[in-house]
């Protein structure tokens, strides 16, 4: 497909990420429509010029005429939508997604999808701890990472379109990974960090701690304000890789605890120096 500002883009699911995609693309002058469950979310998007048209039903004419469809749904909901509604796609439609796990999703959808429709999966490595379109903000993509997860079933043209979508939205780094490598990486970089934040908030129930905390605790636990429905689904769909990451963290934490218990100051300092050096590699590029 020739991806241009005349391309008819449809976003299915106007949550925080779907809404951010809609706002970011519309801000750049692209033709964006949306389907989502709640009329209030359609109204919100229309009032703020995030979309040109929106509906809460799967309108055949809208879906069939859309050339690029972006799914911003929970993984299981995405799979069910494809099973039930793929007959509505127009021939040659390109679909992509924002799902946080890939192995079970990409394989499943590519195995059942019509041959005249192509699915190229992607994952924007940016988000917010709140859920809902009212918290959407395309600025979270600026300077962030964007992962494309092609398989042997994908064409070079579809991969190029998916990467261009990331460029338009302002992502600084656009990388390719296999679905399996993606899930192994995401287990450590995203899912484990959310597990740690949740456990940290639950390991001390002393009343009134919020009156004394500093920025370090707030920064470390920002993502503990978590969408339990979505993240529990993501954790279970990537259980094997996440358990491996959790075991690795437990071993490292136990090692550090032993250093403290044994008074091994120089060993702790070496760990700290190593973490300082590695952390500098993860800073975002300067915003353009």
């Amino acid at each position: 497909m020739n991806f241009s500002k005349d391309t008819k883009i449809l976003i299915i699911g106007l949550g925080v990420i779907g809404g951010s995609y809609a706002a970011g693309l519309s801000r750049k002058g692209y033709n964006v429509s949306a389907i989502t469950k709640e009329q209030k979310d359609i109204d919100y998007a229309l009032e703020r010029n995030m979309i040109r048209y929106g509906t809460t039903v799967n309108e055949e004419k809208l879906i069939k005429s859309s050339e690029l469809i972006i799914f911003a749904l929970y993984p299981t909901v995405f799979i069910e939508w494809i099973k039930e509604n793929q007959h509505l796609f127009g021939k040659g439609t390109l679909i992509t997604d924002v799902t946080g796990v890939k192995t079970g999703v990409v394989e499943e959808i590519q195995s059942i999808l019509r041959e005249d429709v192509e699915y190229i999966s992607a994952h924007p490595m940016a988000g917010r701890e709140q859920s809902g379109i009212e918290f959407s903000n395309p600025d979270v993509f600026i300077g962030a990472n964007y992962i494309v997860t092609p398989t042997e079933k994908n064409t070079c043209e579809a991969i190029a379109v998916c990467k261009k979508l990331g460029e338009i939205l302002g992502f600084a780094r656009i990388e390719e990974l296999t679905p399996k490598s993606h899930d192994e990486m995401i287990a450590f970089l995203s899912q484990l960090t959310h597990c740690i934040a949740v456990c940290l908030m639950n390991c001390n129930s002393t009343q009134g701690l919020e009156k004394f905390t500093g920025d370090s605790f707030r920064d470390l636990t920002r993502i503990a304000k978590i969408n339990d429905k979505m993240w529990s689904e993501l954790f279970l769909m990537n259980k094997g890789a996440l358990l491996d990451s959790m075991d690795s963290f437990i071993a490292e934490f136990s090692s550090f605890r032993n250093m403290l218990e044994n008074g091994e100051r120089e060993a702790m300092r070496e760990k700290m120096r190593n973490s300082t050096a590695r952390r500098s590699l993860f800073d975002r590029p300067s915003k353009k």
Side-chain angles (χ1 to χ4, degrees):
M1 63 177 287
N2 180 24
F3 188 20
S4 69
K5 291 188 177 179
D6 293 324
T7 299
K8 294 178 181 178
I9 301 171
L10 174 63
I11 296 176
I12 299 182
L14 282 181
V16 64
I17 298 297
S20 297
Y21 265 60
L25 289 166
S26 292
R27 186 164 65 182
K28 294 292 183 69
Y30 285 84
N31 181 354
V32 182
S33 297
I35 296 174
T36 200
K37 290 195 305 183
E38 301 290 339
Q39 182 61 44
K40 64 180 179 60
D41 294 335
I42 295 294
D43 295 340
Y44 183 97
L46 287 169
E47 289 168 3
R48 290 159 179 80
N49 297 314
M50 296 164 66
I51 57 175
R52 297 188 187 184
Y53 176 78
T55 178
T56 59
V57 297
N58 292 323
E59 293 183 6
E60 181 174 359
K61 183 178 180 181
L62 173 62
I63 296 170
K64 189 175 290 292
S65 65
S66 298
E67 300 161 274
L68 174 62
I69 302 181
I70 302 165
F71 285 87
L73 304 173
Y74 293 174
T76 53
V77 177
F78 179 26
I79 292 170
E80 286 305 310
W81 196 103
I82 295 297
K83 288 179 178 178
E84 296 174 7
N85 300 292
Q86 64 169 303
H87 64 281
L88 299 174
F89 292 139
K91 183 179 179 180
T93 302
L94 180 63
I95 68 173
T96 187
D97 67 341
V98 302
T99 56
V101 291
K102 299 302 181 188
T103 306
V105 176
V106 176
E107 292 173 356
E108 175 73 8
I109 290 179
Q110 287 190 336
S111 71
I112 63 174
L113 192 63
R114 288 165 37 185
E115 291 185 359
D116 60 351
V117 176
E118 185 169 356
Y119 165 47
I120 174 68
S121 189
H123 185 190
M125 294 297 294
R128 309 189 77 177
E129 60 271 20
Q130 300 97 336
S131 59
I133 191 173
E134 63 270 24
F135 297 107
S136 60
N137 182 355
D139 290 340
V140 299
F141 302 143
I142 307 301
N145 298 323
Y146 179 84
I147 304 173
V148 182
T149 59
T151 72
E152 70 281 354
K153 294 186 177 182
N154 287 122
T155 62
C156 294
E157 291 79 8
I159 296 170
V161 169
C162 196
K163 288 183 175 181
K164 183 176 180 181
L165 180 62
E167 293 172 3
I168 292 166
L169 290 168
F171 290 93
R173 298 188 186 97
I174 298 173
E175 303 288 343
E176 287 187 34
L177 286 175
T178 65
K180 183 176 184 294
S181 295
H182 167 276
D183 286 0
E184 291 170 349
M185 192 75 69
I186 217 68
F188 174 72
L189 291 175
S190 178
Q191 294 180 342
L192 176 63
T193 56
H194 283 77
C195 290
I196 292 169
V198 168
C199 292
L200 190 56
M201 290 306 308
N202 279 288
C203 74
N204 188 330
S205 58
T206 302
Q207 295 297 310
L209 284 178
E210 69 278 2
K211 300 174 183 177
F212 312 105
T213 188
D215 288 340
S216 59
F217 188 84
R218 279 189 288 266
D219 290 345
L220 191 59
T221 58
R222 175 183 61 83
I223 55 176
K225 294 189 290 185
I226 195 170
N227 181 334
D228 59 283
K229 181 179 180 182
M230 180 183 75
W231 282 98
S232 60
E233 179 173 314
L234 294 174
F235 290 170
L236 289 170
M237 292 188 73
N238 200 29
K239 181 168 71 171
L242 179 54
L243 285 172
D244 287 344
S245 288
M246 293 173 83
D247 290 342
S248 178
F249 177 79
I250 290 168
E252 182 66 20
F253 193 85
S254 296
S255 173
F256 199 85
R257 184 192 181 282
N258 289 337
M259 292 174 191
L260 175 62
E261 184 176 36
N262 297 327
E264 300 174 22
R265 182 177 183 185
E266 286 307 312
M268 289 193 295
R269 290 186 65 190
E270 179 60 26
K271 289 285 188 184
M272 294 173 185
R273 287 191 292 267
N274 185 55
S275 72
T276 299
R278 293 201 67 197
R279 178 60 181 82
S280 65
L281 301 175
F282 287 73
D283 291 334
R284 280 192 179 194
S286 299
K287 292 184 179 182
K288 297 179 180 178

